Amino acid sequence: FCHATATTEIYTLSLHDALPISSCRANENIASATQIGRMTLSRMMREVRTCVDMDSTAARLTITSPDDGSGLTLIVYELSGTTLVRTRTINETTTSQVLIGSGDDSVVQAFSVLREDDLEGNPVSVTVRLSLSVKGHTMDMTASATLRKGQFD
């Protein structure tokens, strides 16, 4: 048996000394921006997996929705300055929504779409990269979707 004496040391630390309130707010802003970025990427990938056609450029993703009776025909994600905008066309009416940037603490530093095609030029997968900046902190996020074989037939 080993007999060791335990010593207890008590430290008193105020919340102010441990973590400045501004740090808490910065962490909350970063967590919020991360959550918004992940939700946005998740929505994009879900829409890509169910689309009937898709077109992309380096900073724009255009998705043609299936005819499911909702009237939704077209979805466009596009970087406009430091703002990521989603435009939807429903029953020939187009509306735009700012997803990230413009008024909140986060801005989009980069948004890129990489489409991988097979030998016949049919899309096989889509990868979207999103780089957000929140009060000097940069977060890079990536999401990918693999398309079903014959999805655009």
Side-chain angles (χ1 to χ4, degrees), residues 126-141:
V126 175
T127 301
V128 176
R129 290 189 176 90
L130 186 61
S131 181
L132 302 178
S133 177
V134 181
K135 297 192 176 195
H137 300 281
T138 301
M139 296 162 293
D140 294 316
M141 299 177 206

Side-chain angles (χ1 to χ4, degrees), residues 3-138:
H3 296 285
T5 58
T7 59
T8 303
E9 297 180 33
I10 299 174
Y11 295 96
T12 304
L13 195 60
S14 72
L15 180 60
H16 177 73
D17 293 335
L19 188 59
I21 298 301
S22 62
S23 261
C24 288
R25 285 191 193 112
N27 287 340
E28 287 173 1
N29 291 340
I30 291 168
S32 176
T34 301
Q35 182 179 8
I36 290 168
R38 286 181 180 167
M39 288 177 9
T40 299
L41 289 174
S42 177
R43 178 189 297 156
M44 275 186 216
M45 295 304 103
R46 187 172 52 252
E47 290 167 346
V48 163
R49 284 187 202 101
T50 60
C51 70
V52 294
D53 197 11
M54 177 192 62
D55 188 25
S56 63
T57 62
R60 179 181 171 122
L61 176 61
T62 303
I63 301 167
T64 304
S65 299
D67 184 10
D68 60 1
S70 69
L72 178 63
T73 55
L74 193 66
I75 304 167
V76 178
Y77 290 92
E78 187 171 26
L79 183 61
S80 176
T82 59
T83 303
L84 184 62
V85 178
R86 178 181 186 223
T87 303
R88 296 171 17 139
T89 303
I90 302 173
N91 295 325
E92 299 182 20
T93 302
T94 301
T95 58
S96 293
Q97 173 188 13
V98 172
L99 297 175
I100 303 171
S102 182
D104 52 18
D105 291 327
S106 57
V107 295
V108 180
Q109 288 187 323
F111 171 70
S112 62
V113 180
L114 176 64
R115 176 177 146 168
E116 183 182 338
D117 292 345
D118 63 13
L119 295 174
E120 285 111 33
N122 300 313
V124 175
S125 68
V126 175
T127 301
V128 176
R129 290 189 176 90
L130 186 61
S131 181
L132 302 178
S133 177
V134 181
K135 297 192 176 195
H137 300 281
T138 301

